[in-house]
Amino acid sequence: MISVLKGMKDRYSDDVKKYDLIVDTAKSVFEKYGFERIITPILEETELFRRGVGDETDVVSKEMYEFVDKGNRNVTMRPEGTAGVVRAYLEAGFHKSSPIVKWFYHGPMYRYEAPQKGRFREFHQMGIEMFGVRSAYLDAEIIRMGCEFLEKLGITGLVVEINSLGNIESRKKYIDDLKAFMEKRLDKLSDDSKRRYTTNPLRALDSKDKGDQEQFINAPKLYDYLDEESKNYFENTKRYLELMNINYVVNDKLVRGLDYYSDTVFEIKSNKLGSQATVLAGGRYDRLLEILGNAKVPGIGFAAGMERIAMLMDENLIAKKENKIYVIYFDETKEYFVKIVEELRKNGIKVNFDYNPKSFGAQMKKANRENADYVLILGEDEQKENVITMKKFSTGEQEKYSFEQVLKHFERKSLEK
Ligand code: ATP
Ligand code: MG
């Protein structure tokens, strides 16, 4: 037998119900803030991610599903959503005509990494990108929208962490000093951080290694290197968050580790996910469109891992509220059954039944096994009298009704939901 690939998963039943609920919730929240959905291809030119995510990142250097297609193009299954969305924006020329655009997306992402709890090779992200505006109020609003989205899904115990990376110039000076700091402790740092010392020192700051974290306790602080404008921008962003009643903590080691990020970066973490704690992550990227298309357009976005959201979702949210109806009939009453089922479905009522009905007892057993709330019995007497016997499972109450009465009953029930 051929199995699903390592780190990938078939999704059905509750997984899909949760996926759909995440999508519906995101849509209702994001649309309120003016976002519209965009769909971009899963496959892109590899170069897009090399430039858009960065050669020196783990994602690009180690995790990409990259191959040469039949036309000899170097292509990659997208590891994240931002690069493709930015490409779409630039390709359509929005930066020249109407630069302010708000988009959201969701779909599968691919990263060749070691699978573990909350970490897969095929996973799904729900994300947003907004182009054309630089404003501290907007940054707070985007974080607020991320919180609202997760809260609507019944997720609690979340912490918003924010930091400011300032601009590229102030960061250069900081990175020099950070490297000098790291150099003195290089032998005590993990292999990953040793490597990052040369490739991406900033990223070493948010190493998950406990030993590294201890070494970095007294590392120079990025905030001290920010220029006045960036400091003000950060203070304003925090002030707006307070006005919006969003609790946050400043994490001065939170870095997204990419050159194109500027000023605001943030993560929403859960205390219920162990080491894979980040549910939603994002930031402002005022240089990304310059790198990818020579356009001076600011941007901000976030992406949330849908599997991590699903792990945190309240099961009750997806519990079915509708009544489960099981229809019992017999070979002798098959035509009556067909007629009744047609009418019920025409009226939007969902029913279940046995395609090859045996005895009454056998059908009752099945109805019970499927957790039916009601059974509708269509026996020979019912057929003769043109009625339906309705039995409520929870109470055992049972009575004959006309079709119209049964219909009214379930219509009222569906209104009560
Ligand atoms: P991490 O440090 O956990 O590897 P990251 O910085 O690589 O995270 P991002 O690229 O910022 O993650 O992706 C945003 C979100 O997507 C993450 O916060 C997480 O919820 C989710 N995510 C990232 N990689 C995976 C994965 N392999 N499996 C499941 N979810 C993932
Ligand atoms: Mg990662």
Side-chain angles (χ1 to χ4, degrees), residues 285-332:
Y285 47 77
D286 288 351
R287 288 193 61 245
L288 179 57
L289 284 91
E290 209 177 318
I291 294 169
L292 287 178
N294 227 354
K296 282 212 154 53
V297 177
I300 181 168
F302 66 64
M306 293 173 74
E307 284 77 10
R308 293 194 196 168
I309 294 178
M311 284 160 75
L312 294 169
M313 266 164 72
D314 186 348
E315 298 289 332
N316 293 326
L317 277 180
I318 57 154
K320 274 221 222 74
K321 291 193 195 95
E322 71 193 47
N323 285 303
K324 280 196 171 177
I325 304 169
Y326 200 92
V327 183
I328 290 181
Y329 64 105
F330 307 93
D331 287 341
E332 296 74 21

Side-chain angles (χ1 to χ4, degrees), residues 59 111 113 118-121 123 125 203 208 256 276 278-281 303-305 307-308:
V59 169
R111 296 186 192 180
E113 47 185 333
R119 195 177 289 286
F120 311 94
R121 289 184 175 174
F123 62 101
Q125 281 184 341
R203 190 70 207 230
K208 288 175 182 104
R256 303 291 301 150
Q276 263 61 255
T278 302
V279 184
L280 183 153
E307 284 77 10
R308 293 194 196 168

